[in-house]
Amino acid sequence: MNIKDVAKEEMFKMKLAVAGGSAAFKKPLYVGQPIVEKKVRDAYFNIMVDVFERNYFTNDGPMVQKLEAEIAKIHQVKHCIAVCNATIGQILVLKALELEGEIILPSFTFISTAHACLWLNLKTVFCDIDKATLTIDVQKAERLITKDTSAIIGVHLFGNICDLKGLENICKKHRLRLIFDAAHAFGCQFGNTPIGSFGNAEIISFHATKFFSTFEGGVILTNDDELGNRLRFLRNFGFRGYDDVKSLGINAKMSESSAAMGLASLSSLASRSERLKNIFSIYQKNISTIPGITLVPVGTRGRSNYFYVVVLVDEKKFGVSRDMLLYVLCKENIFARRYFYPGCHRMEPYAHLYPAAYKRLTITEEVAKKVLCLPSNLEDPEKDINTIASIIKTVHKNAGEIRALVKF
Ligand code: T4K
């Protein structure tokens, strides 16, 4: 019997799918999978009956206006502009602020944060993150400011709020615009203040995989009257009224069907928050004792929505690499994700522009190699997390055998 056979035998004892056992979950678990309760579905269908009766499906319809008012109230902000997705929302903000030159943003974010800049031919200057919150490092951001910098984009990643005060200070000092990609931060707070009113504007995503979903969609939040007005024109081809276009615009409108979904979901916000907070604490209880697995804390600067459960895998202490753990989990039908590996600076069309950026993005590089998002929106949290945790523990305890068996 050679070493590989020994390993295989051990693995069968472990009953891991990677060793030929059956997957722990019949139905796949996904990061960001939506759970739509029956009461929300019923409410959605009810609202849609009215939408069909009205025969008014888009173009700033009554459902969109109602949703905007509700979201503005929740985030205590003057203007809420609903859009068809957050990426377009960010493009509109950059356009409305007439930005030029260079934009400083973290590399450790979803690619859309960078794409929105490049779409407008703005130069993306990637900044490192701070290790505790995985949000933009303010000191490092200040060192990247040049005479061509026009704005900084902070990303409230995984619902962790940026160092808002630090960013506000440097933006004031250097006369820069400040924008927040708040795609993950619906309902989050900085201290006791809801996000939405910081910087020039904040953009939340309502994508299907988000805390609050309208299938596709998003909102731009701002307290700036002029900016709010401009954004509304930009969203609708530049129209000021019938047959009256005074500026460039695009189609970034949210449909009535999306708004209906948002309105239907409002009634379950409180219970969803509670459920996700509970899920986070069950994970905390079950996985924080596993050597080499660190749960990224959330809510350090205020309230989180607990939508993302993010861990860092330290290969030396855990015994196998993050990618090997991911492989084992996927075989169990647990589709964890490496958000946001490898960092924007390592993906095109940016990588060839900044081939040496990795040298200064040291924390980004380290975190990108270790990060793993676990499914959080679970139907049977106690049971599911127990199973996930015991698989991760089994991997740790049998690291040697797994390394011998799993080859990429
Ligand atoms: N800024 C940040 C920091 C963001 O994370 C995002 C979006 C944005 C800006 C831009 O917001 P939007 O323009 O999208 O409004 C997904 C989402 O498409 C994207 O919205 C999200 N971030 C990103 C983190 O995740 P992918 O390419 O990873 O999606 P995909 O198809 O692999 O699905 C993700 C997981 O969700 C899978 O495990 C499957 C599951 N899933 C997906 C869908 C669509 C479901 O269970 N049900 C579904 O309906 O980007």
Side-chain angles (χ1 to χ4, degrees):
M1 194 183 274
N2 65 27
I3 177 75
K4 221 167 173 188
D5 293 331
V6 174
K8 257 189 193 155
E9 209 161 81
E10 283 302 307
M11 303 292 273
F12 277 115
K13 273 188 239 156
M14 291 174 229
K15 293 202 175 95
L16 288 177
V18 81
S22 48
F25 292 91
K26 279 207 172 68
K27 195 175 155 197
L29 301 183
Y30 295 111
V31 172
Q33 65 192 358
I35 293 183
V36 183
E37 301 94 320
K38 186 172 179 310
K39 72 169 179 179
V40 173
R41 288 183 207 193
D42 291 345
Y44 170 72
F45 292 130
N46 275 337
I47 299 170
M48 285 307 290
V49 170
D50 291 342
V51 170
F52 283 117
E53 272 173 16
R54 252 192 310 273
N55 269 333
Y56 199 91
F57 298 148
T58 184
N59 289 9
D60 205 17
M63 294 303 100
V64 165
Q65 289 183 23
K66 200 168 168 193
L67 182 67
E68 288 179 337
E70 294 289 346
I71 303 296
K73 200 161 37 159
I74 292 170
H75 291 90
Q76 295 170 27
V77 64
K78 263 170 106 176
H79 303 281
C80 170
I81 298 103
V83 284
C84 52
N85 62 59
T87 308
I88 290 285
Q90 192 190 321
I91 292 174
L92 294 192
V93 169
L94 299 172
K95 185 79 187 163
L97 290 171
E98 297 176 344
L99 297 178
E100 290 180 340
E102 299 175 0
I103 311 288
I104 297 171
L105 70 157
S107 176
F108 194 68
T109 178
F110 191 54
I111 199 71
S112 66
T113 320
H115 280 354
C117 301
L118 194 58
W119 204 257
L120 295 174
N121 283 325
L122 295 162
K123 184 176 174 195
T124 49
V125 177
F126 292 119
C127 184
D128 213 357
I129 47 169
D130 98 70
K131 209 171 178 175
T133 62
L134 310 187
T135 58
I136 192 164
D137 181 313
V138 177
Q139 274 81 41
K140 289 182 182 171
E142 186 164 22
R143 276 184 246 137
L144 293 171
I145 296 171
T146 69
K147 62 175 182 22
D148 293 325
T149 309
S150 60
I152 298 181
I153 301 176
V155 182
H156 301 315
L157 205 76
F158 304 134
N160 255 337
I161 305 305
C162 297
D163 177 358
L164 287 171
K165 292 296 149 200
L167 287 171
E168 278 174 356
N169 287 341
I170 61 167
C171 285
K172 199 168 162 201
K173 185 168 144 196
H174 298 274
R175 296 167 179 243
L176 303 176
R177 304 295 196 140
L178 179 58
I179 299 150
F180 290 102
D181 175 338
H184 300 177
F186 185 102
C188 294
Q189 294 183 347
F190 176 65
N192 292 322
T193 311
I195 60 101
S197 52
F198 296 98
N200 295 93
E202 304 201 53
I203 306 113
I204 305 180
S205 169
F206 291 173
H207 182 260
T209 57
K210 294 293 182 289
F211 174 87
F212 182 83
S213 155
T214 57
F215 306 128
E216 285 275 4
V219 285
I220 306 166
L221 304 176
T222 181
N223 276 330
D224 181 333
D225 297 338
E226 202 191 316
L227 180 62
N229 260 336
R230 252 188 212 203
L231 288 166
R232 288 188 181 282
F233 299 135
L234 274 178
R235 176 181 70 171
N236 186 27
F237 308 102
F239 274 110
R240 281 354 187 227
Y242 284 143
D243 311 323
D244 180 19
V245 175
K246 289 222 165 29
S247 62
L248 185 67
I250 198 165
N251 182 356
K253 292 163 285 161
M254 179 185 273
S255 73
E256 289 290 90
S257 162
S258 281
M261 184 60 183
L263 289 167
S265 304
L266 287 174
S267 64
S268 72
L269 276 186
S271 58
R272 189 172 316 164
S273 287
E274 269 315 298
R275 194 166 52 78
L276 289 166
K277 193 172 177 184
N278 184 41
I279 286 172
F280 193 87
S281 66
I282 302 173
Y283 263 118
Q284 214 161 17
K285 198 174 70 198
N286 280 272
I287 62 171
S288 53
T289 53
I290 307 174
I293 299 288
T294 308
L295 186 62
V296 174
V298 291
T300 43
R301 294 194 174 105
R303 194 174 78 185
S304 171
N305 57 26
Y306 295 95
F307 192 66
Y308 288 91
V309 174
V310 185
V311 295
L312 301 180
V313 183
D314 182 328
E315 181 174 353
K316 275 201 185 120
K317 292 185 189 147
F318 182 63
V320 309
S321 68
R322 180 271 314 269
D323 289 351
M324 207 174 272
L325 173 61
L326 174 64
Y327 180 78
V328 173
L329 291 174
C330 288
K331 291 280 173 192
E332 303 289 347
N333 265 339
I334 304 163
F335 292 96
R337 293 294 294 258
R338 300 180 295 183
Y339 289 136
F340 287 99
Y341 168 86
C344 298
H345 67 290
R346 282 198 178 266
M347 291 196 271
E348 294 300 351
Y350 310 98
H352 78 279
L353 295 174
Y354 316 113
Y358 72 91
K359 288 184 192 160
R360 54 177 187 78
L361 299 172
T362 50
I363 308 295
T364 303
E365 287 277 313
E366 186 193 331
V367 171
K369 281 182 195 129
K370 293 179 172 176
V371 75
L372 198 60
C373 292
L374 299 174
S376 60
N377 210 7
L378 301 164
E379 277 168 25
D380 192 349
E382 197 78 52
K383 188 165 155 266
D384 294 350
I385 296 168
N386 252 316
T387 307
I388 296 169
S390 78
I391 291 166
I392 299 176
K393 281 177 196 159
T394 306
V395 174
H396 168 65
K397 282 191 191 136
N398 301 278
E401 286 83 350
I402 290 174
R403 283 200 311 270
L405 191 77
V406 179
K407 299 274 181 229
F408 290 105

